[in-house]
Amino acid sequence: YAPEKPVQRKNILEDYFKHIIQLVDIKAIRDSGLKPLFDPMGGAGQYLLEKFLKEQGIPCTTIFGEARPDFYGRSAEPMEKNLLPTAKFLQENPGYCCGLATDGDADRLGVLLENGEWLSAQETILLLADHMIGERKEPGALVKSASVTDKIRRLASDRHPLQEVQVGFKYICEEMLKMRVAFGVEESGGFGYGMHIPERDGILSALIFLEMLARSGHTLLGGLVREKRRRFGRIHYARIDHIHDHPQRNEMLPRLYDKALDKFGKFDILDRKIFKNAAGEINGLKYWLSGECRWVLLRASETEPVMRIYAEGQSENEVNELLHNGIAYIGIT
């Protein structure tokens, strides 16, 4: 195949920055005196956030900014275990308001407090959702993947209905293309904004996060987090990936759904929902249990010999109990 025209290379960063500067309250960030640390993890984010902020008169320091194929010896996912060097830098260099990290292709965001403490993706989601709905008052629905904390339901309303979809940001994108969405979120740190594009953007997410902190009146992220925890409480959530190479792995969830259970361990089942893949096959099953923010999600991987079990509860011990009950309920030993 010979293309009619040769491939053309074009630098679209200038157009991108002109666009996102209209979406963020730059003045609030500048006036707040915030100084963030940015870790692009040796990926595509490079020095983009620092460049943008410094052009607006806002200080920013980048570490691990040069793109490298080995991501400086880390997996380029903005998760706690991969951000230990970032946490160490914050602990040894006080004065930053927070740490912000993007993944290899810079579409996901991970966050650290000023002291290097990890802010879970679930808590990051709750803070950003509250900012988008409560502070910015963005119109449209809240769309979340099934594995995102149910505490976000407290923000839903007639003006901001909540839509829950299959795990995978492509399912959030589909909803963003069908209707007006204020905020779309997945538990791995991918966030989409209706006023932007129907996709994730880690650089914009970092800027929205800084805007949120700046408008809160707090100069350090820890102060804002403590305030929000007093309001929403702690999030107790975990996930396990259980190796299971049974050839009929994908048939387990439909069989479990057909059993119409009324109990999950010691908790009553209030509701349940199946999730289907693009081929229309059931590959996810979620149970909402008695009490507040208590659920279990069971998923069969389509690409690996793995059953994934997610749970949210009222304590770490309770979450562990739900996860292990999940293993038992799908017949895994």
Side-chain angles (χ1 to χ4, degrees):
Y1 171 73
E4 296 181 5
K5 295 182 179 179
V7 174
Q8 297 182 6
R9 299 182 66 177
K10 182 179 180 180
N11 188 339
I12 62 171
L13 283 177
E14 185 177 346
D15 291 336
Y16 171 73
F17 286 140
K18 284 180 180 177
H19 171 63
I20 63 172
I21 199 171
Q22 301 175 51
L23 306 180
V24 182
D25 189 347
I26 296 297
K27 184 178 184 302
I29 301 174
R30 185 189 302 115
D31 292 349
S32 69
L34 297 179
K35 180 185 177 183
L37 176 72
F38 179 46
D39 179 8
M41 305 191 76
Q46 299 189 72
Y47 294 92
L48 292 180
L49 184 64
E50 179 180 333
K51 178 179 183 295
F52 177 82
L53 289 174
K54 285 187 173 179
E55 287 177 353
Q56 309 307 317
I58 301 166
C60 178
T61 299
T62 300
I63 57 174
F64 305 110
E66 295 295 330
R68 284 184 28 172
D70 68 345
F71 305 111
Y72 295 87
R74 297 180 287 175
S75 173
E77 287 190 272
M79 301 163 56
E80 182 177 16
K81 65 180 181 179
N82 300 326
L83 293 176
L84 296 180
T86 326
K88 186 172 185 286
F89 189 95
L90 286 166
Q91 291 160 0
E92 295 177 348
N93 299 273
Y96 295 97
C97 64
C98 64
L100 303 168
T102 51
D103 64 335
D105 58 352
D107 64 356
R108 290 161 53 193
L109 176 70
V111 178
L112 298 170
L113 274 63
E114 68 279 0
N115 62 359
E117 178 187 339
W118 164 249
L119 186 70
S120 74
Q122 297 281 15
E123 201 160 14
T124 302
I125 285 168
L126 190 59
L127 265 62
L128 282 172
D130 188 38
H131 178 65
M132 295 299 293
I133 299 304
E135 172 66 26
R136 288 181 59 117
K137 303 191 185 307
E138 294 287 337
L142 284 166
V143 181
K144 78 179 191 75
S145 62
S147 54
V148 165
T149 175
D150 265 13
K151 286 184 181 288
I152 201 173
R153 292 180 180 275
R154 291 176 56 179
L155 304 174
S157 64
D158 290 342
R159 188 166 180 261
H160 301 103
L162 181 68
Q163 182 84 1
E164 183 159 296
V165 298
Q166 170 74 284
V167 173
F169 204 83
K170 66 179 181 178
Y171 299 102
I172 295 173
C173 290
E174 289 173 0
E175 297 303 315
M176 295 180 79
L177 291 169
K178 287 192 295 190
M179 63 181 181
R180 190 162 196 174
V181 171
F183 192 41
V185 294
E186 64 176 354
E187 55 92 19
S188 61
F191 314 128
Y193 308 87
M195 80 290 195
H196 186 38
I197 57 174
E199 244 304 351
R200 298 168 294 190
D201 185 337
I203 300 297
L204 177 61
S205 291
L207 290 168
I208 295 289
F209 198 91
L210 289 174
E211 173 193 270
M212 173 188 68
L213 181 55
R215 288 189 181 181
S216 74
H218 292 279
T219 56
L220 299 174
L221 178 56
L224 175 60
V225 169
R226 287 188 290 273
E227 175 188 314
K228 296 298 182 180
R229 285 175 180 170
R230 286 193 293 269
R231 177 182 168 195
F232 291 107
R234 289 270 189 169
I235 295 175
H236 300 285
Y237 160 89
R239 156 187 155 181
I240 55 176
D241 293 354
H242 196 102
I243 302 297
H244 189 66
D245 57 2
H246 194 284
Q248 296 181 327
R249 181 177 69 255
N250 293 332
E251 298 176 15
M252 291 180 173
L253 297 184
R255 287 203 301 266
L256 186 58
Y257 181 78
D258 288 341
K259 289 182 179 179
L261 303 172
D262 58 6
K263 282 282 211 182
F264 196 95
K266 62 187 179 184
F267 299 109
D268 293 332
I269 295 174
L270 303 181
D271 200 2
R272 61 185 183 143
K273 182 178 180 179
I274 57 173
F275 296 93
K276 298 181 179 180
N277 59 22
E281 301 163 335
I282 295 175
N283 70 340
L285 173 57
K286 184 169 182 178
Y287 293 106
W288 284 271
L289 310 177
S290 54
E292 184 183 358
C293 293
R294 184 178 286 129
W295 53 264
V296 177
L297 172 64
L298 313 171
R299 292 186 65 241
S301 172
E302 299 174 56
T303 57
E304 304 172 89
V306 167
M307 296 294 292
R308 294 193 169 92
I309 305 161
Y310 313 69
E312 183 174 18
Q314 295 304 303
S315 69
E316 289 186 21
N317 288 339
E318 184 177 289
V319 168
N320 288 331
E321 180 184 340
L322 292 172
L323 292 174
H324 286 91
N325 281 337
I327 293 175
Y329 271 59
I330 54 181
I332 303 174
T333 56

